[in-house]
């Protein structure tokens, strides 16, 4: 069985799958699912291109909490196939996720590619480096180029399992950068046409002056 299904498909989950007719389908899928916690080339390349992700944790009172994290592409780094890391920057100082991790190190991540309607789910365990001997070197290695950003700690995530989701119900959305990439050829063509038109107008004005002389 795939490691993700092993962790996520609890007896109660399987009971509902059986009830609604999807259990046999997932049993067949489990035979082809990743069996371990090692991210392959596709997963590593996908994460390297993401500029945000969603992170879920659970508090000591049992309430789940989902946090959105964003940054430049590649701010979440694949340190090795089973280990991710990112810089935890100073924010609104609520520290909800941080407090939850003190209670339970388990975490769920969603990496989204909205234009291509693709989603990568990862289950893992958090390892926090802030005041320990490894923290200074890790913080320095993850320090962003933006000088105003303050790295308070580095969060490492040991991958326990992962799974790709189907594209159903993922609404395509595009960032300003992605839109610019799509319209760049059109913008270049328009600029070229404007330059050609300006040159033609100059030639017509010059010809008109000669004819009137």
């Amino acid at each position: 069985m795939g490691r993700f299904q092993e962790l996520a498909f609890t007896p109660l989950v399987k009971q509902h799958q059986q009830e609604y007719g999807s259990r046999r389908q997932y049993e067949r899928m489990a035979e082809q699912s990743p069996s371990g916690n090692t991210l392959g080339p596709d997963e590593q390349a996908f994460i390297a291109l993401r500029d945000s992700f969603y992170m879920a944790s659970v508090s000591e009172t049992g309430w789940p909490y989902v946090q959105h994290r964003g940054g430049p592409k590649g701010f979440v780094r694949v340190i090795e196939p089973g280990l991710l890391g990112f810089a935890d920057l100073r924010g609104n100082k609520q520290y909800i996720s941080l407090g939850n991790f003190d209670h339970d190190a388990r975490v769920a991540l969603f990496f989204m590619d909205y234009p291509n309607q693709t989603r990568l789910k990862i289950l893992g365990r958090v390892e926090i480096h802030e005041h320990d001997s490894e923290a200074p070197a890790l913080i320095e290695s993850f320090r962003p180029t933006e000088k105003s950003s303050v790295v308070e700690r580095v969060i490492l995530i040991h991958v326990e399992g992962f799974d790709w989701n189907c594209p159903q119900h993922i609404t395509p959305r595009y960032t300003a950068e992605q839109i610019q990439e799509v319209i760049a050829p059109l913008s270049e063509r328009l600029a070229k046409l404007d330059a050609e038109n300006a040159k033609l107008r100059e030639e017509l004005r010059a010809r008109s002056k000669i004819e009137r002389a």
Side-chain angles (χ1 to χ4, degrees):
M1 174 184 287
R3 179 60 174 159
F4 184 91
Q5 292 193 21
E6 183 181 333
L7 295 171
F9 291 179
T10 63
L12 289 176
V13 171
K14 291 178 181 178
Q15 180 178 315
H16 284 293
Q17 291 174 350
Q18 187 69 38
E19 178 184 0
Y20 295 106
S22 64
R23 183 71 208 123
R24 291 187 63 184
Q25 171 191 347
Y26 282 113
E27 286 176 345
R28 291 193 297 268
M29 290 175 62
E31 298 175 0
Q32 302 174 350
S33 298
S35 58
N37 60 352
T38 300
L39 299 171
D42 290 341
E43 289 78 25
Q44 295 184 45
F46 185 81
I47 292 171
L49 292 174
R50 305 279 66 81
D51 59 6
S52 68
F53 70 97
Y54 301 93
M55 180 172 68
S57 58
V58 179
S59 73
E60 65 265 40
T61 57
W63 283 101
Y65 178 72
V66 177
Q67 186 177 48
H68 175 266
R69 293 294 183 107
K73 288 182 181 179
F75 80 101
V76 179
R77 191 182 308 167
V78 180
I79 301 171
E80 53 188 60
L83 183 64
L84 308 177
F86 65 93
D88 189 20
L89 306 180
R90 181 171 297 167
N92 58 16
K93 298 186 179 182
Q94 289 187 338
Y95 301 115
I96 297 175
S97 295
L98 193 63
N100 289 350
F101 294 147
D102 287 341
H103 161 68
D104 192 331
R106 288 175 296 181
V107 67
L109 311 177
F110 265 30
F111 290 92
M112 305 293 301
D113 180 353
Y114 288 104
N116 294 302
Q117 297 176 284
T118 308
R119 173 174 47 205
L120 175 63
K121 302 183 294 187
I122 293 179
L123 298 177
R125 295 182 184 273
V126 166
E127 175 186 331
I128 297 172
H129 292 277
E130 183 175 4
H131 300 301
D132 57 284
S133 60
E134 297 179 57
L138 280 170
I139 289 174
E140 188 58 35
S141 68
F142 277 89
R143 192 178 303 281
T145 56
E146 176 57 52
K147 300 299 182 182
S148 61
S149 300
V150 178
V151 181
E152 292 191 324
R153 63 195 62 82
V154 167
I155 295 179
L156 304 182
I157 298 170
H158 296 269
V159 178
E160 292 284 347
F162 62 92
D163 190 29
W164 293 93
N165 237 153
C166 70
Q168 189 178 17
H169 306 310
I170 300 178
T171 302
R173 292 185 173 89
Y174 302 87
T175 65
E177 179 185 356
Q178 290 164 339
I179 292 173
Q180 288 298 323
E181 290 176 356
V182 171
I183 67 174
L186 178 60
S187 298
E188 292 175 4
R189 178 60 178 160
L190 289 174
K192 184 178 180 180
L193 289 173
D194 285 342
E196 291 174 353
N197 287 335
K199 182 179 179 180
L200 287 172
R201 286 194 296 269
E202 284 298 323
E203 291 175 353
L204 288 172
R205 279 195 292 268
R207 183 179 303 172
S208 179
K209 289 180 181 179
I210 293 174
E211 292 173 350
R212 290 197 302 267

